[in-house]
Amino acid sequence: MVWRLLRRNISVWQTAGYALANFVGLSIVLCALKFYCDVRSGEQGEDPYVTRDYIVISKKVSGIGGLLGADNGFSPDEISEIAGQPWSRRVGEFTSADFNVSASLDMGGRGMSTSLFLESVPDEFFEITPSGWSFDPESDNAVPIIISKDYLTLYNYGYAASAGVPQISEGVVGMVPIRLSVSGNGKQKWLKARVVGFSSRLNTIAVPDRFMDWANSQFGEGKPMNPGRLIIETVSPGNPKIEDFLKSHGYEAAGDKGASGKAAYFLSVSTAVVAGIGAVICLLFRSMSARIRHTDAECVASASEKPRQAAQPHAAGLYSRLCQPLLFHNCRCGQLCGACRRRAGDAVGVGSVAGAA
């Protein structure tokens, strides 16, 4: 009976539509939650396919300031201000070499030498952790170097093509012996070195912090230097407040991190919007389902009440035809009194109806 009442008040197509709407809403919410979990796992370093977002910033160099030798480094107060921003998770400093560096190597029977610059960055800001990334000044081990992948691309498709020298791969570069000449402060020393990795994040020639501290103390002039570049790990990449902060302080970011960061920020906002739409669909479905259940309950109650109302006139007629003549005949008082009416009503199950007859 209940199924018949449901089919009378709601059609099969309506039921299918409500079920489909609920399925779509739940699917949207689950997809949004899955995407959010993937992004969060990437930010926490758990997913190797989603990397954290870093930006490298420096101060703008003006023509007059550069000629006059103005210091474009970041002071400790400026570094503390950047680290205290809500979008900044941590800040790393680039330490520059305070000595002269040159490198020489032999490739294909040709000897090459060039002046170099070296920098060091805290290890946690590298996306790779190559083996042998350490330095001991007391040992004869080679100095490990990490260079940008862009440098190898420039060599293979720029210098090698024009100079007629062979192109090399990343694996071959690691096997090429390099000799470093470090000099300064009246001292000079030759060191062995080798390339142990390539970085897509850092556009520099990096050495371990321990080597940089040792070399600056041995060959540097000893004057304090503020870092010229900073690397920042951001909490919310693409946050418009990052760009506003850099512009207001005269800083500039290296590369095209702004476009990729804005895309990531747009994806996070889109995820929230999609999850909200799915939640609204589910809430609407629940509201409609509750309204349908309320209507069905009223229908069932009405249907169960009608048979009782229909039975009362039938029982009253039965009382008039059968019980009333018999009671009137047996009534001692000679008339059908109220007590006789109540007994008759209890006998046929009509109660007050019998009493009102």
Side-chain angles (χ1 to χ4, degrees):
M1 178 182 294
V2 175
W3 175 245
R4 291 180 181 178
L5 292 173
L6 289 175
R7 292 191 59 183
R8 180 178 299 177
N9 289 276
I10 181 171
S11 64
V12 177
W13 294 107
Q14 288 176 319
T15 304
Y18 295 147
L20 179 61
N22 189 44
F23 175 77
V24 171
L26 290 176
S27 300
I28 293 174
V29 173
L30 291 177
C31 290
L33 290 176
K34 182 65 171 65
F35 180 77
Y36 175 78
C37 293
D38 291 341
V39 173
R40 292 295 299 173
S41 63
E43 292 179 354
Q44 297 171 1
E46 299 172 359
D47 193 346
Y49 299 101
V50 183
T51 59
R52 303 179 183 181
D53 194 77
Y54 297 84
I55 56 175
V56 178
I57 65 172
S58 60
K59 292 185 177 180
K60 294 182 180 180
V61 179
S62 61
I64 298 178
L67 294 175
L68 297 178
D71 184 13
N72 282 328
F74 292 90
S75 65
D77 293 338
E78 292 173 332
I79 297 175
S80 300
E81 182 185 7
I82 295 173
Q85 296 301 313
W87 42 263
S88 174
R89 178 177 283 121
R90 54 182 176 174
V91 180
E93 302 178 8
F94 283 76
T95 303
S96 301
D98 190 23
F99 50 88
N100 299 320
V101 185
S102 63
S104 63
L105 53 89
D106 293 327
M107 290 188 59
R110 293 188 179 185
M112 295 184 295
S113 62
T114 181
S115 296
L116 286 182
F117 69 94
L118 297 177
E119 291 181 307
S120 66
V121 184
D123 295 345
E124 59 267 21
F125 290 94
F126 285 101
E127 76 272 27
I128 57 175
T129 306
S131 59
W133 184 249
S134 62
F135 174 76
D136 185 3
E138 301 298 332
S139 67
D140 194 32
N141 296 331
V143 178
I145 297 176
I146 294 178
I147 66 174
S148 172
K149 287 186 177 181
D150 294 336
Y151 296 168
L152 182 61
T153 302
L154 290 173
Y155 170 83
N156 285 332
Y157 300 100
Y159 177 78
S162 60
V165 295
Q167 296 181 341
I168 55 178
S169 64
E170 294 183 4
V172 173
V173 172
M175 296 184 295
V176 175
I178 303 174
R179 297 188 66 202
L180 287 181
S181 172
V182 293
S183 61
N185 196 20
K187 302 177 183 179
Q188 193 273 339
K189 187 174 183 177
W190 286 94
L191 299 171
K192 294 186 296 183
R194 66 185 183 93
V195 177
V196 297
F198 295 84
S199 174
S200 300
R201 177 183 302 160
L202 301 175
N203 190 11
T204 187
I205 302 175
V207 293
D209 279 331
R210 187 173 183 183
F211 170 80
M212 184 62 68
D213 295 338
W214 170 81
N216 280 336
S217 64
Q218 294 292 323
F219 306 97
E221 297 180 0
K223 59 181 180 181
M225 294 188 304
N226 293 325
R229 295 195 295 170
L230 300 176
I231 179 170
I232 307 171
E233 182 183 349
T234 61
V235 176
S236 55
N239 191 333
K241 294 181 179 180
I242 299 178
E243 185 176 358
D244 296 339
F245 178 84
L246 297 181
K247 287 183 178 180
S248 63
H249 288 73
Y251 304 153
E252 57 184 2
D256 193 20
K257 286 293 185 180
S260 59
K262 289 180 180 178
Y265 186 75
F266 174 76
L267 285 177
S268 62
V269 174
S270 301
T271 302
V273 172
V274 170
I277 293 175
V280 169
I281 293 176
C282 292
L283 290 176
L284 289 176
F285 171 77
R286 291 191 61 181
S287 176
M288 287 185 288
S289 299
R291 186 173 300 178
I292 292 172
R293 288 195 298 268
H294 179 70
T295 304
D296 293 340
E298 291 181 350
C299 293
V300 172
S302 176
S304 60
E305 184 68 22
K306 288 181 179 179
R308 289 196 298 267
Q309 294 177 355
Q312 288 182 355
H314 175 73
L318 182 64
Y319 160 78
S320 301
R321 293 193 302 270
L322 299 178
C323 299
Q324 184 174 351
L326 181 60
L327 291 173
F328 182 78
H329 178 71
N330 296 328
C331 183
R332 296 180 180 180
C333 58
Q335 57 183 355
L336 195 57
C337 61
C340 297
R341 291 177 184 272
R342 285 192 296 271
R343 287 195 299 271
D346 294 339
V348 297
V350 296
S352 60
V353 176

